[in-house]
Amino acid sequence: MYIMKPFFNRIGSKRDIVDKLIQLIPEHKIYVEPFIGGGAVFWRMETKNKKVIINDIDKQLIEGYRLLKKNDDNKLIIPPTIEEKQQLVNRKARDDNERLTQILLLSCNTFGSQGKYKIYKNTAHIQKIKKINEYSNKLKNTTILNQDFKKVIKKYDSKDTFFFLDPPYEKSIDTLYDNYFIDYKELVLILSNIKGFFMLTINDSPNIRNLFKKFNIVPIIVKQKSNSELGGSGDRRELIIMNYEF
Ligand SMILES: C[S@@+](CC[C@H](N)C(=O)[O-])C[C@H]1O[C@@H](n2cnc3c(N)ncnc32)[C@H](O)[C@@H]1O
């Protein structure tokens, strides 16, 4: 079976710890990912027979997911050279397929997968294009939203809901995410009052440990297999925070 990897890349992917995270997810009927990004956990997880909601504040990324959901067996045509990829990204898209190709290239072939600026890698995405139907099918029963995470948590919270939350790290806010501001204190307050389960992944820092101290905190070391262009290489300390025991 094809193991689904993120279709769109995003800084801060959970690719390297996805198996560990999935093992810690409790039974639930409604799966909600308010900060989907590339969605490493969503793509890998079995979501059949569940109500699934994915969300991100990034307009272009969500446009990409919506086009991928609509795609009906149309294989995307990826130009062979970096120069031709750049030309494709620079022009006005002629149809939905071309726009989807542009977003794929912007999210995967730019420096640090920032979704903008110059095409710098020549990746051809052969596997993803071959399996595009599997990607579209998984999205067919998925609700795709482009809102602030707070609205999504409020709307979909219930005793049957599981939230997987992967917000930007503390230090990344100014530099990597167009100044999207996450008020972690407010996030703690919201999570203290939900009916459902949540699991959150975040960088390890004294401030975060203190803010989330009433929850179950599991420190982990993430061995970085993937060669990250931003943030350098080497192991990373992270926290998995849950409102349940495992
Ligand atoms: C660390 S990334 C998620 C990575 C993802 N788990 C993966 O495996 O690729 C965080 C995401 O949160 C989004 N984001 C930032 N602020 C947000 C907000 N206020 N509401 C919803 N999404 C937000 C960013 O656009 C980014 O895609």
Side-chain angles (χ1 to χ4, degrees):
M1 204 190 74
Y2 175 63
I3 295 182
M4 297 186 92
K5 298 195 183 111
F7 193 83
F8 303 110
N9 288 355
R10 198 79 171 102
I11 306 152
S13 172
K14 286 286 112 77
R15 226 172 330 201
D16 297 335
I17 53 167
V18 66
D19 292 323
K20 187 180 179 75
L21 295 175
I22 288 176
Q23 283 168 14
L24 296 174
I25 296 181
E27 285 288 306
H28 59 277
K29 294 186 182 141
I30 306 169
Y31 178 81
V32 186
E33 233 191 283
F35 304 92
I36 187 75
V41 172
F42 162 74
W43 288 115
R44 182 73 64 87
M45 240 181 75
E46 182 52 78
T47 50
K48 256 191 215 139
N49 305 323
K50 284 185 185 141
K51 179 169 170 169
V52 182
I53 294 98
I54 63 174
N55 173 73
D56 203 285
I57 200 130
D58 186 309
K59 279 199 166 44
Q60 177 175 279
L61 181 70
I62 291 303
E63 184 188 359
Y65 281 118
R66 288 182 171 147
L67 290 170
L68 184 57
K69 178 174 176 170
K70 271 206 325 204
N71 186 278
D72 243 342
D73 204 14
N74 286 315
K75 303 279 184 258
L76 307 184
I77 297 161
I78 309 284
T81 65
I82 290 201
E83 292 69 32
E84 286 164 297
K85 286 184 176 67
Q86 186 69 60
Q87 280 163 15
L88 169 62
V89 161
N90 289 352
R91 71 173 180 244
K92 192 172 177 334
R94 293 182 200 132
D95 55 29
D96 283 356
N97 262 354
E98 208 167 87
R99 181 64 186 140
L100 178 54
T101 314
Q102 286 179 336
I103 297 174
L104 175 66
L105 292 175
L106 283 165
S107 74
C108 301
N109 294 46
T110 50
F111 183 73
S113 302
Q114 293 197 70
K116 52 190 176 184
Y117 310 129
K118 273 195 168 13
I119 298 296
Y120 127 112
K121 281 183 276 192
N122 207 14
T123 323
H125 309 292
I126 295 163
Q127 277 305 313
K128 284 183 201 171
I129 305 296
K130 242 199 234 163
K131 301 283 178 186
I132 194 157
N133 284 347
E134 287 188 36
Y135 284 98
S136 316
N137 284 341
K138 192 168 164 106
L139 289 173
K140 290 281 183 270
N141 296 318
T142 299
T143 302
I144 303 170
L145 302 173
N146 184 207
Q147 296 176 1
D148 182 69
F149 73 93
K150 292 189 276 295
K151 281 196 184 156
V152 178
I153 297 181
K154 201 168 162 207
K155 178 149 189 218
Y156 290 98
D157 182 34
S158 81
K159 64 174 183 23
D160 295 321
T161 306
F162 172 72
F163 294 100
F164 172 55
L165 301 145
D166 186 23
Y169 293 171
E170 282 173 296
K171 64 175 171 38
S172 67
I173 283 177
D174 293 337
T175 47
L176 303 179
Y177 288 112
D178 292 336
N179 286 324
Y180 297 140
F181 176 70
I182 305 292
D183 181 340
Y184 296 102
K185 263 194 202 149
E186 192 186 13
L187 180 58
V188 170
L189 198 66
I190 294 168
L191 295 177
S192 302
N193 292 304
I194 60 168
K195 301 186 197 84
F197 293 120
F198 82 82
M199 174 164 73
L200 178 138
T201 47
I202 187 82
N203 62 291
D204 189 354
S205 80
N207 179 42
I208 293 285
R209 283 188 187 236
N210 183 43
L211 283 174
F212 288 86
K213 60 179 178 273
K214 69 165 102 160
F215 299 114
N216 180 16
I217 300 184
V218 179
I220 54 163
I221 293 185
V222 182
K223 301 230 171 282
Q224 267 177 314
K225 277 183 262 153
S226 32
N227 177 19
S228 141
E229 288 132 21
L230 295 164
S233 54
D235 297 346
R236 231 174 40 228
R237 301 172 81 84
E238 289 202 12
L239 300 174
I240 304 176
I241 306 177
M242 297 164 276
N243 66 345
Y244 55 94
E245 293 290 330
F246 213 92

